[in-house]
Amino acid sequence: MFCDIVVDLKNNQVNKTFEYIVPSWLENIIEVGQRVIVPFGKRKLLGFVIKCKVISEFDPLKLKEIVDVLDITPVLNEELIGLASFMVKNYFSFYISALETMIPTALKVKYTKKVVLKDKEGITQDLLNLFNQNSEFILLEEHKKYFKEIKELLKENKIEIIDIVKNKSQAKTMKMVSLVDENVIIKSKKAMDLIAYLKEIDEDISKKDLIDDMGYSASVIKTLEEKKAITIYDREIYREIGMNKDYDTKVVTLNEEQKEVYRILKNDLNEENTYLLHGVTGSGKTEIYLNLINDCINSGKQAIMLVPEISLTVQTISRFKGWFGDKVAVLHSRLNIGEKYDEWRRILRGEASVVVGARSAIFAPFKNIGIIIIDEEHEGSYVQEVNPKYKAIDIARERSKYHKSLLLLGSATPKVETYYNTQIGKYKLLELTKRANEKAMPKVDVLDMREEFKNGNMSVFSSKLLEKIKEKFSKNEQIILFLNRRGFSTFVMCRECGKVITCPNCDVSLTYHKMSNKLKCHYCGHEESNTTDCPNCGSKYIRFVGGGTQKVEEELRNLIPEIRILRVDSDTTTGKYSHEILFNKFKNHEADVLIGTQIVAKGLDFPDVTLVGVLNADLGLKLPDYDTFEIGYNILEQVSGRAGRGELEGDVIIQTYDPSHFSIVCASKHEYKTFYNEELRLRKMLSNPPFFSRVEIMISSEDIKMAKNESKEIVKMINNMSKNVKVYGPSEALIFKVNNEYRYVITLKFIDDKDAETLIQINEHYQNIKDIKISITRM
């Protein structure tokens, strides 16, 4: 027997499978998806089993044997291994990196396995002899001869294997008490009472419950254990996720429009189809999701629900746990190693039927998926931009094909490419045109800040916005203020010589953070103490320029001292439960105003918010990206949708220096299709997606000449390989220097995806060239 194995080396020359012999003792144990130890050169490396076969493609005398197996049961199934191959081909990933993305961090560190006995009937005496008085033993290398029996016993649920990781990620356990001999005679009345109690309940119980709740002493329990009347063993338990256990259990009756959408989707649950659910903000898309997932679970299948932000995960978990209880597993980046490990194992063991999470939850190890839902599908956070790169929607589409399941994309502001796919018949379109509560969309006023400036108003608040804030505050209604920035000020500049304090490693200005009185780089992490003297000319006239969330908060407190403010941005949400704490406070009316960056614009539902103020709408419209206008429109429409979601009508005030920009005009009128048609016209004129595929190649090096010269060489290679590709560049990246590396960008546009195969050759050529880095991103 032979296996194809991917070894743990991130190197292009070994970015493939290698064949190994399966030793006889492993022949009935080895499976696809297990991790093994194999000899590789002079080293022993971890590897993943990708394929098992009986005939070798090579001379068996030249092959090496697998040394050891790390897993009794596979950690990856064949579908996920196939997805890894897809990622290697489409995102230029290392095979091993793609595989590692799909398993929890806890499996990437050293650990031992503890075997716990649950039922000794049918177990060989040799194996029984290994168990200690606590009915457990540590699985060691000398126990290899028992692996086959252990594997069978696992399937029969007669034993349990607990991974003991050498850090906080280890499986959490609880001491359990089991009655094994009810006929033991003991003088202690309390001990005999405990035997009677265990016999009466006829099930194992935790030692903690016996002591804390039932009043039995530790000494009584120890006596019974010594007399072999009971046995005490470790049972694996799962960590609690989140702080809030008061889940949202409300069930909302669907309106007629929702019912029709739900009916169509329900009829297609067992078909491989992709739908876009285009529903205005507050139209009740989540209610439809819940009903569809309920149908999916009732039919014995599983569901994946993706949300773009951790902040949304908090609210979504409350709704989903309220509906489905312990059937829900949660996967997102704020969970610690142990919590992620617990949730992943619950999914792997079939103990969860629904996964709610951010981007990486798309790799949940389900075996029978009935529906995948990607809410707010337009969000950029569904794209992983660091290696291994991937787009969650691409992975979802592949999984939908594999399981022949429904893929549902939901958004009030769909990506242009997504909506275009509905127009050419690739996706099916369903629409919700009104809010679920029948209320009107919020009224939007666009204020020209140039006029405010002419009238002498230097505040970040226009006179009308400030007036509206005071009005809503007096009525005990809530307000959201949105600013697409973080930090106290954008940068620090000398008014004498014009010197801007910049990062020593990157071509960006440092941002001032008032709480720590530090200047920080948001690219490489460099930070330094704030300065009061200009490092260039020594002048004392050094000032903060621009306004971040902290500055907005300070100014509002000065204008309305009695108002209660919560600030939500990346600086105030560093703690594990920060989002949950802050949003619960706002929901419970412990604050009147929520000031935030993009976090507050995405999907949050606070029924008492009647005013949304956008402090500077232009910030999202000035970046040199092909989809900048789309991103700007989306964020304005989404944040506007936070107003008037309850019984009271909502108002939105958008402050801008460019009130005639079509993205702002369309967002103010809630006219997605008008925006879509204009944006599509521009995309076609400029040969951008969806009409052309777009790829960006980033070349970086600490040697500026090398980076520039190799960029030119790549352009030559592309022109020699294909004549059907439009090549732009090389040009300096928007941020030219990051972490002391100089960066050049080449942009490619092509119609035929076959031309993209040129990229594979370029990627392979540069993977192992010293002092130069190359990164290829499909846009």
Side-chain angles (χ1 to χ4, degrees):
M1 187 175 176
F2 306 90
C3 283
D4 289 340
I5 292 171
V6 172
V7 295
D8 187 7
L9 272 180
K10 296 176 177 67
N11 183 300
N12 196 66
Q13 292 179 343
V14 296
N15 196 29
K16 58 185 179 181
T17 61
F18 292 86
E19 193 170 299
Y20 286 86
I21 297 171
V22 178
S24 57
W25 70 273
L26 275 178
E27 283 191 353
N28 294 311
I29 297 167
I30 210 77
E31 286 185 77
V32 169
Q34 286 174 317
R35 293 170 307 144
V36 293
I37 300 296
V38 293
F40 195 87
K42 296 180 180 180
R43 293 181 285 176
K44 290 181 181 179
L45 297 178
L46 179 143
F48 286 82
V49 178
I50 303 302
K51 185 179 180 181
C52 296
K53 52 194 179 182
V54 294
I55 299 175
S56 173
E57 299 174 22
F58 305 96
D59 180 358
L61 296 176
K62 296 181 179 180
L63 297 179
K64 297 179 180 179
E65 285 192 349
I66 296 172
V67 173
D68 201 358
V69 61
L70 294 181
D71 309 300
I72 299 295
T73 55
V75 296
L76 292 174
N77 58 39
E78 291 194 12
E79 182 208 357
L80 293 176
I81 288 171
L83 281 176
S85 298
F86 173 83
M87 292 168 68
V88 171
K89 180 180 178 181
N90 288 274
Y91 307 119
F92 311 101
S93 165
F94 288 120
Y95 213 145
I96 189 67
S97 298
L99 293 168
E100 288 178 341
T101 299
M102 302 176 189
I103 61 174
T105 306
L107 291 181
K108 301 171 191 174
V109 297
K110 292 183 178 180
Y111 63 94
T112 56
K113 291 179 179 291
K114 180 166 66 176
V115 182
V116 179
L117 181 63
K118 297 171 75 176
D119 179 1
K120 64 182 181 181
E121 186 178 346
I123 300 179
T124 63
Q125 189 59 48
D126 283 351
L127 186 56
L128 280 175
N129 291 338
L130 296 177
F131 291 95
N132 59 25
Q133 62 179 7
N134 293 325
S135 299
E136 60 189 38
F137 72 90
I138 299 298
L139 195 61
L140 302 174
E141 189 171 347
E142 58 259 34
H143 300 142
K144 288 178 180 178
K145 59 184 177 181
Y146 301 110
F147 275 16
K148 183 180 178 182
E149 183 180 359
I150 287 171
K151 193 165 188 174
E152 291 301 317
L153 293 172
L154 270 173
K155 292 177 182 178
E156 296 170 13
N157 199 31
K158 291 185 175 182
I159 62 169
E160 183 176 13
I161 291 183
I162 298 174
D163 295 326
I164 305 174
V165 186
K166 295 179 180 177
N167 56 29
K168 292 181 181 178
S169 63
Q170 71 182 59
K172 193 174 181 180
T173 60
M174 177 184 289
K175 293 291 183 186
M176 300 296 295
V177 176
S178 176
L179 179 63
V180 293
D181 187 354
E182 63 186 70
N183 298 314
V184 170
I185 304 298
I186 299 176
K187 292 180 180 179
S188 166
K189 184 177 184 302
K190 199 69 175 175
M192 294 304 294
D193 285 346
L194 177 50
I195 289 177
Y197 174 70
L198 292 172
K199 182 180 178 182
E200 179 185 344
I201 63 173
D202 194 26
E203 62 181 20
D204 296 352
I205 186 172
S206 78
K207 182 179 177 181
K208 184 176 185 298
D209 287 347
L210 286 176
I211 295 171
D212 294 348
D213 298 339
M214 305 307 300
Y216 293 102
S217 67
S219 62
V220 167
I221 296 171
K222 185 178 181 181
T223 298
L224 287 178
E225 184 183 17
E226 290 172 349
K227 295 289 185 179
K228 302 192 182 312
I230 62 172
T231 184
I232 298 175
Y233 65 95
D234 286 329
R235 173 181 289 175
E236 189 174 340
I237 59 173
Y238 297 117
R239 298 159 179 85
E240 292 286 341
I241 303 296
M243 295 175 60
N244 180 30
K245 301 298 180 289
D246 184 20
Y247 299 125
D248 185 350
T249 57
K250 68 182 177 186
V251 177
V252 178
T253 302
L254 303 182
N255 62 32
E256 291 306 312
E257 196 174 40
Q258 288 172 309
K259 284 179 182 176
E260 179 58 17
V261 167
Y262 166 60
R263 183 191 64 79
I264 293 170
L265 291 169
K266 183 179 180 180
N267 288 339
D268 245 3
L269 260 182
N270 295 316
E271 300 293 330
E272 181 202 322
N273 276 316
T274 301
Y275 279 88
L276 168 64
L277 177 53
H278 178 207
V280 298
T281 54
S283 58
K285 295 185 285 293
T286 302
E287 301 301 329
I288 294 172
Y289 300 157
L290 287 165
N291 280 278
L292 288 168
I293 290 173
N294 191 53
D295 293 332
C296 180
I297 292 173
N298 289 338
S299 68
K301 294 193 174 184
Q302 300 151 328
I304 296 176
M305 171 79 189
L306 298 190
V307 291
E309 292 284 345
I310 298 162
S311 55
L312 289 186
T313 310
V314 173
Q315 284 198 340
T316 308
I317 289 169
S318 180
R319 293 298 310 279
F320 276 62
K321 290 264 189 179
W323 270 62
F324 307 116
D326 290 339
K327 292 179 181 178
V328 178
V330 181
L331 292 174
H332 62 75
S333 61
R334 285 291 173 92
L335 301 182
N336 64 37
I337 293 175
E339 288 168 337
K340 286 181 184 175
Y341 183 47
D342 282 355
E343 296 296 275
W344 179 82
R345 282 178 301 144
R346 289 181 60 223
I347 300 163
L348 190 68
R349 294 169 176 177
E351 296 170 16
S353 303
V354 185
V355 168
V356 176
R359 177 179 62 228
S360 62
I362 194 60
F363 296 111
F366 277 149
K367 296 178 181 176
N368 190 16
I369 297 173
I371 187 170
I372 301 173
I373 300 171
I374 302 182
D375 194 29
E376 311 293 353
E377 67 84 27
H378 60 276
E379 282 290 343
S381 59
Y382 286 128
V383 178
Q384 175 151 308
E385 296 179 344
V386 296
N387 288 321
K389 298 176 182 179
Y390 66 89
K391 296 180 181 179
I393 190 169
D394 292 345
I395 303 298
R397 198 179 294 114
E398 290 300 305
R399 299 204 75 178
S400 174
K401 289 177 187 174
Y402 185 91
H403 292 274
K404 294 182 171 52
S405 62
L406 185 67
L407 173 58
L408 178 57
L409 313 174
S411 178
T413 55
K415 287 178 67 67
V416 167
E417 293 97 316
T418 303
Y419 199 83
Y420 179 77
N421 281 335
T422 69
Q423 304 303 295
I424 62 173
K426 188 175 179 180
Y427 299 164
K428 297 182 180 181
L429 176 65
L430 294 170
E431 296 187 286
L432 295 171
T433 59
K434 56 187 178 182
R435 288 190 152 178
N437 61 6
E438 305 291 335
K439 298 290 183 181
M441 294 294 289
K443 177 178 175 291
V444 181
D445 285 331
V446 178
L447 294 184
D448 189 343
M449 293 301 285
R450 293 172 299 185
E451 295 300 317
E452 294 285 323
F453 185 75
K454 287 177 185 177
N455 294 331
N457 182 7
M458 303 300 176
S459 168
V460 296
F461 301 102
S462 63
S463 53
K464 183 166 185 178
L465 177 57
L466 186 59
E467 179 188 322
K468 275 286 183 185
I469 291 172
K470 291 177 178 178
E471 175 194 325
K472 301 296 185 182
F473 175 54
S474 68
K475 294 179 180 178
N476 199 33
E477 296 170 16
Q478 291 182 297
I479 302 136
I480 289 178
L481 297 177
F482 168 67
L483 180 67
N484 196 12
R485 276 185 192 163
R486 64 178 176 178
F488 188 79
S489 296
T490 306
F491 56 89
V492 177
M493 184 182 77
C494 176
R495 303 295 173 95
E496 188 83 22
C497 69
K499 169 72 175 179
V500 174
I501 309 300
T502 58
C503 174
N505 307 317
C506 311
D507 273 346
V508 294
S509 58
L510 295 175
T511 300
Y512 175 60
H513 290 250
K514 186 178 182 183
M515 190 175 296
S516 60
N517 195 33
K518 295 278 189 181
L519 300 175
K520 298 182 181 181
C521 175
H522 292 161
Y523 287 88
C524 72
H526 169 82
E527 65 175 63
E528 58 189 62
S529 297
N530 183 34
T531 181
T532 54
D533 300 326
C534 175
N536 186 50
C537 70
S539 169
K540 299 286 185 183
Y541 296 101
I542 190 160
R543 295 290 185 271
F544 312 123
V545 178
T549 48
Q550 288 175 270
K551 194 168 184 179
V552 171
E553 178 184 9
E554 185 177 271
E555 185 168 341
L556 186 58
R557 287 189 191 281
N558 290 334
L559 292 167
I560 313 174
E562 65 275 22
I563 204 163
R564 299 171 302 166
I565 301 172
L566 282 176
R567 180 166 55 86
V568 183
D569 55 26
S570 56
D571 296 317
T572 63
T573 54
T574 55
K576 182 176 178 180
Y577 297 118
S578 302
H579 293 91
E580 197 168 349
I581 292 168
L582 289 167
F583 291 140
N584 281 337
K585 282 184 176 180
F586 194 62
K587 182 180 179 181
N588 296 330
H589 271 265
E590 295 177 40
D592 308 298
V593 180
L594 188 69
I595 299 175
T597 50
Q598 293 195 20
I599 295 171
V600 303
K602 302 174 182 179
L604 297 173
D605 190 354
F606 298 112
D608 295 328
V609 170
T610 57
L611 174 64
V612 167
V614 180
L615 299 182
N616 191 338
D618 308 310
L619 288 172
L621 300 172
K622 305 302 181 185
L623 295 173
D625 295 323
Y626 81 94
D627 55 354
T628 287
F629 297 159
E630 175 182 273
I631 294 170
Y633 168 83
N634 287 351
I635 200 74
L636 291 177
E637 184 65 37
Q638 289 288 338
V639 76
S640 297
R642 301 315 107 204
R645 298 175 74 93
E647 293 301 313
L648 299 173
E649 291 186 0
D651 293 304
V652 179
I653 294 177
I654 297 176
Q655 298 181 166
T656 176
Y657 290 89
D658 190 4
S660 62
H661 194 288
F662 82 96
S663 294
I664 294 174
V665 172
C666 290
S668 69
K669 296 179 179 179
H670 308 296
E671 292 181 352
Y672 172 80
K673 289 178 183 176
T674 304
F675 166 79
Y676 166 79
N677 288 329
E678 176 61 16
E679 178 70 4
L680 198 68
R681 183 187 68 81
L682 291 173
R683 299 274 187 97
K684 190 169 187 177
M685 182 174 68
L686 298 172
S687 302
N688 280 325
F691 302 102
F692 279 71
S693 295
R694 184 182 171 105
V695 170
E696 183 179 279
I697 304 175
M698 177 83 73
I699 303 98
S700 58
S701 175
E702 292 184 3
D703 184 330
I704 188 171
K705 288 184 179 178
M706 178 179 283
K708 188 173 184 178
N709 291 337
E710 291 302 326
S711 299
K712 291 178 180 178
E713 285 300 314
I714 289 174
V715 170
K716 288 180 184 177
M717 290 172 68
I718 294 168
N719 287 330
N720 289 336
M721 291 177 184
S722 177
K723 303 299 180 186
N724 300 319
V725 180
K726 295 184 178 183
V727 184
Y728 302 85
S731 59
E732 293 182 1
L734 180 62
I735 310 297
F736 182 42
K737 184 184 177 187
V738 173
N739 268 330
N740 291 314
E741 291 186 340
Y742 299 92
R743 312 189 305 166
Y744 285 86
V745 174
I746 301 167
T747 301
L748 310 179
K749 298 179 182 180
F750 46 85
I751 295 177
D752 190 345
D753 273 355
K754 289 181 180 177
D755 290 317
E757 292 179 6
T758 301
L759 303 173
I760 297 174
Q761 299 176 47
I762 293 171
N763 187 58
E764 290 177 351
H765 178 76
Y766 279 93
Q767 277 302 324
N768 299 306
I769 295 181
K770 192 178 180 182
D771 300 327
I772 194 83
K773 294 179 184 176
I774 183 170
S775 173
I776 302 175
T777 304
R778 293 179 183 268
M779 310 301 284

